[in-house]
Amino acid sequence: MDFSVLTEALASKSFDKIADICDNLMIQAAAEGVAFQDEWPFAIHLLGHIYVDDINSARFLWKSIPAAIKESQPELVAAWKIGQKLWTRDYAGVYEAIRGFDWTQETQLLVTAFSELYTKRMFELLVSAYSTISIHDAAQFLGMSEDDATNYVVSQDWTVDPDSQMLTVKKQAIVKEQKLDPSKLQRLTEYVFHLEH
């Protein structure tokens, strides 16, 4: 089986393409009747779905993997543990699952990139959902120690109240550029004119 496309995507850090590449290679192998399961990079395939936040596809992939392969590949089980934590929305557990396994060099880059992306997603979630949050809770969401989480959010212009151990969220300014199409303006004018007369 030729995994050169997958290898190139990993080398170029195009992690958002990994799941699609693996899905297409799997379909191609199945269509050709090639026995691929013994050499298939299931952990990378699973992590590819997790990276693009496609937990449903990750679950279906997990269910389709033969039990013998699951038992023989501890890294695959560790990758699925991340998926389980995401599925149950155990935010701190995601970081524990990431740190709880000694990843191979092949998957380490993908796991590290996912961890950074996940931290960014969690930060955006905190910004959209909270106006204030405790340092402890923010640290749990961001998978960091309380000191690291405080430094991280302060660098994003949040403020800290040391007495109450609370963080005040700085909402990001939402910039929306409206594109005014002259034809839409004309139609609106005609509509308003029609209503008035």
Side-chain angles (χ1 to χ4, degrees):
M1 182 110 211
D2 182 20
F3 292 113
S4 60
V5 178
L6 178 60
T7 307
E8 288 172 19
L10 286 167
S12 66
K13 298 184 179 180
S14 301
F15 301 124
D16 56 331
K17 297 177 183 174
I18 299 293
D20 287 338
I21 290 169
C22 287
D23 287 344
N24 290 333
L25 285 173
M26 186 178 272
I27 290 168
Q28 180 184 351
E32 294 172 0
V34 176
F36 62 90
Q37 292 186 328
D38 292 336
E39 62 184 68
W40 192 259
F42 282 110
I44 289 177
H45 193 170
L46 195 63
L47 288 166
H49 285 299
I50 289 169
Y51 184 86
V52 294
D53 202 23
D54 187 359
I55 304 307
N56 283 327
S57 292
R59 283 183 62 223
F60 290 127
L61 176 63
W62 175 255
K63 289 179 179 185
S64 72
I65 299 171
I69 292 176
K70 291 176 186 177
E71 292 168 7
S72 67
Q73 296 183 15
E75 189 169 59
L76 173 61
V77 175
W80 177 236
K81 192 168 191 169
I82 296 170
Q84 288 175 309
K85 298 298 181 182
L86 288 167
W87 182 257
T88 59
R89 293 191 172 102
D90 179 359
Y91 304 113
V94 171
Y95 295 107
E96 290 170 12
I98 290 170
R99 293 186 198 114
F101 188 79
D102 187 20
W103 303 96
T104 62
Q105 184 177 356
E106 189 177 45
T107 56
Q108 181 64 51
L109 284 172
L110 180 54
V111 171
T112 302
F114 169 72
S115 181
E116 292 167 2
L117 179 65
Y118 186 70
T119 299
K120 193 182 280 187
R121 286 180 191 155
M122 287 297 100
F123 180 76
E124 290 168 2
L125 177 68
L126 295 179
V127 168
S128 67
Y130 291 90
S131 56
T132 58
I133 185 172
S134 71
I135 293 173
H136 173 76
D137 289 345
Q140 291 244 307
F141 275 103
L142 298 172
M144 302 175 183
S145 68
E146 291 187 8
D147 289 339
D148 289 343
T150 302
N151 292 335
Y152 182 81
V153 298
V154 165
S155 73
Q156 304 291 326
D157 297 328
W158 290 20
T159 54
V160 181
D161 180 1
D163 297 331
S164 65
Q165 293 289 297
M166 295 296 283
L167 299 164
T168 303
V169 176
K170 180 177 185 226
K171 299 289 183 184
Q172 304 294 327
I174 299 172
V175 179
K176 280 192 174 179
E177 186 177 311
Q178 289 186 341
K179 296 179 182 175
L180 191 56
D181 182 10
S183 66
K184 288 181 182 177
L185 184 58
Q186 180 63 37
R187 281 196 317 242
L188 180 63
T189 304
E190 290 171 1
Y191 181 72
V192 171
F193 181 75
H194 176 72
L195 289 174
E196 289 179 352
H197 297 348

